[in-house]
Amino acid sequence: MQQCIAYLRRNKGFALVLVLQMALLAALVAGLFGAPATLALAPQDFANEFADIAALSEDGGSLQIWNDGSFQTDKEITFSTAGAALPSGAYEVTVNYFSCQTPDVPTFSVLQSAGSLRFSSAGNPSAVNADELTLDDGHRTVSTRLWAGFGARISDLTATLAYKEGQLYLYSIQLTEQPVYRLTRLLCFALFFAAVDFVYWLLFARVDAAGAARRRALRLPLALLGITAAACLPLFSNLLYYGHDLCYHLQRITAMAAELSYGQFPVRMATSTLNGYGYANPLCYCELFLTLPALLYNLWLPLRTCYQAYVFAVTLAACLCSYACFAKITASRRLGLLGAALYTLSAYRLVCVYFRAAVGEYTAISFLPLVLLGVYNLYTEEKPRFVHWAPLAFGMAALVQSHLISTELTAVFLLVFCLLRLRRTLRPARLLAWAKAAALSFGLSAWFLLPFLSTAVSLNLQVNNELVGKPQREGLYLMQLLNPLGPGFGGTFTGTTTDMSLTPGPALLLGLALALFCIARRECWTDRRPLAVLRSATGLGLLAVVLSLQVFPWDFAENWLGHTLAKFAATFQYPWRFLAFACLLFCTAALAALQLLQNWRPSTSRLAVLALAVCTAVGVIVFQMQLLPCSQASWNTISQNDTRDVGVGEYMIDGTSIYETIWAQPKPGSEDLTLTGYEKRNGVALVSVENAGGETDISLPIFNYGHYTASDTATGAPVTMTSGENMRVVLTIPAGYSGTIAVAWQSPAVWRVFEVLSALCLLGSAAWALHLHRRAA
């Protein structure tokens, strides 16, 4: 406390700023209390001005809009909240309506819509942030999120209804404040103020000798943070940049957030995806790391912000893991820092993050250095202990829970390395360390791996169908690979016309040249360990490059292997995925080359470091310039229709059609069966029926992935369930039955055993690491 007082006396200006910060935080704390603000718009609030195309119903309960042929479509109807102020905060907007392009034959299709709704403020345009709502024919209620900017009090909130065609009945628009956002805003301001205060202390504050020493000790963490910030510069905006798989992964985040809010953890089934049909994505594509953006989304941060926070966290992880790896391998903090910059800012990693938005792959790329560090430790220690093989175990477990394709490719490279070092691999102590690492990795991943394997075996998913990929046509040409800067955004296919940048980048190409130079002069070097690292990394890196080329005979290899093995061998889809390993290995080779040059001619080594740094900076600048034209509109939430974005649907049950999911209504199997209500509440489908005849059935808009239960809500009596057309859940309704049936997905009890196993492995590893740390201290 005395030190704080002394610090504030030396920095009186900062003391004043701190008082203002505390006052604002106190006001935000006071704002945590109080009833949520609400605002309701009824039809009579906005109907009268547009009698030519819109009119109130006789009872005033709805606004009716239609096209009688007397006007062109795409009309806009605007209504405002004049006189009703909307306080700052986050709001859930709920619109009740009926939309139908063909009133005589309702389609109930989410692909059809009679209009859309957007919100704005003429007096303070930047204070209103909300996505446009599509009033599709498949729903009767839609919702979105709206944010009123901090400090704003909007008295002219305007809703604009863009009418297309058909018939539209608008009943109400309800805005309800979400109190949790008040706490979120408080935490965000506290974090922002802490960052500002830290920057002031770092750059401007007058400190004593102890404070100056603490500043110097922060040079390395700040350098790593600077590398991360350089890689994340495109994130500091109010929009997202378009990526190939962006919509799919944003849908995964919102689906996981919904399931977490329903109490499902870990998330196994996305019950809201595919227009409520459900999707087994979490069972087959681990979403553990997406818990971060999902939780932020449940704290009512915009979806764009949640995704940006995730990219920043993953980039920071890549920087820290690569620094730990390269600093250990080179026994140099400076070379470790250079390696972190080369790897984090490598062209292929940036392409995966921004051009491809390949969340699983770029997450896996962040943990590849841990695998490399673990392998290095195993082969440089005669008797590897826990601290030596633990990085390998945790790195492989992280890969499993990020991207299975990257895990498979990593396992192949590890196998090749072990075969090349077979004599050293077969030493008992090293084999035991390999076994321990494999066992721990499996234990940490058991909670996901075993349910995944069970699902893959028990269900005939589309990913398991008979088709075998032909990846060779997607391979790279040397001109692409050796182009230091690349063409920018694009796709990949035969030829190079529309391809994106697929190159390690100028810095790593220069690093490869340094490595080849040092290998050519191998008789000049006396330090054998860097030379061994150099040769292994360069050789395996070049192997990765060869595997990524279009000339590598992947198609011939598939034909030679036979159908079953060919399907497994082609799961990587794109040969250029091997560039992830090339980047990591070329970084390692470049640093080993610098070690050799430093012992030979320090001036040459310093010049090479400068050249690598300049090439890295140029590569990042050019990449970000190429990214500028790829901007996407601000993205705050996922609409009802966007829940159908599941990529190519690999995890749909084979034979089902994604087109069928546009129609999300139950289908009674008899005219005697009347559907009186259907809704999904907290992931549970509630079906209300009245059966005036004999036993019949009803088909629900839910894919039967198994582990669903059906029971009467009043008595708890189970209801017979089968699969029907398009693998929809079919309920058998007894004769004369009248009531409501709840259909819910439940995780099997045995899966909880696997979760406990993984938790014990994690806790045991943490306890053992803490024990070793205390013993070392």
Side-chain angles (χ1 to χ4, degrees), residues 726-751:
N726 203 38
M727 288 301 295
R728 289 163 58 113
V729 167
V730 175
L731 302 180
T732 301
I733 308 300
Y737 176 83
S738 177
T740 300
I741 300 171
V743 180
W745 189 90
Q746 293 183 352
S747 180
V750 68
W751 291 2

Side-chain angles (χ1 to χ4, degrees), residues 17-89:
V17 171
L18 189 62
V19 169
L20 296 176
Q21 291 176 357
M22 298 303 294
L24 180 56
L25 291 178
L28 291 174
V29 170
L32 295 176
F33 308 97
T38 59
L39 178 64
L41 294 176
Q44 56 267 26
D45 295 333
F46 45 76
N48 296 333
E49 296 182 36
F50 304 96
D52 56 333
I53 63 170
L56 286 173
S57 60
E58 293 183 0
D59 60 359
S62 67
L63 174 67
Q64 301 177 2
I65 310 171
W66 67 92
N67 185 356
D68 59 3
S70 61
F71 63 90
Q72 297 294 321
T73 58
D74 298 325
K75 280 277 189 176
E76 289 190 348
I77 301 176
T78 302
F79 43 94
S80 177
T81 62
L86 192 70
S88 170

Side-chain angles (χ1 to χ4, degrees), residues 471-478 480 493-495 545-555 575:
Q472 188 169 338
R473 64 183 180 179
E474 302 276 0
L476 299 181
Y477 297 88
L478 277 176
Q480 293 175 282
F493 203 63
T494 304
V545 166
V546 170
L547 294 175
S548 72
L549 293 177
Q550 194 272 340
V551 296
F552 189 84
W554 284 112
D555 293 351

Side-chain angles (χ1 to χ4, degrees), residues 35-41 80-89 91 120-121 127-128 146 148-149 151-158 175-177:
T38 59
L39 178 64
L41 294 176
S80 177
T81 62
L86 192 70
S88 170
Y91 294 83
S120 61
S121 168
V128 176
L146 181 146
R153 192 169 181 81
I154 302 169
S155 58
D156 64 341
L157 180 68
T158 300
L175 286 85
T176 306
E177 186 190 4

Side-chain angles (χ1 to χ4, degrees), residues 355-422:
F355 287 168
R356 296 182 57 216
V359 169
E361 186 169 353
Y362 71 65
T363 303
I365 288 174
S366 298
F367 299 107
L368 281 178
L370 289 181
V371 178
L372 177 62
L373 176 59
V375 173
Y376 175 81
N377 288 338
L378 286 183
Y379 286 83
T380 55
E381 299 290 338
E382 290 302 321
K383 293 183 179 180
R385 300 191 305 275
F386 174 81
V387 293
H388 300 130
W389 53 261
L392 175 61
F394 279 92
M396 289 301 295
L399 293 186
V400 169
Q401 294 165 87
S402 300
H403 196 230
L404 286 178
I405 293 178
S406 296
T407 307
E408 294 170 3
L409 297 182
T410 304
V412 171
F413 269 85
L414 292 178
L415 178 61
V416 171
F417 180 81
C418 288
L419 292 176
L420 292 175
R421 297 288 186 272
L422 187 59

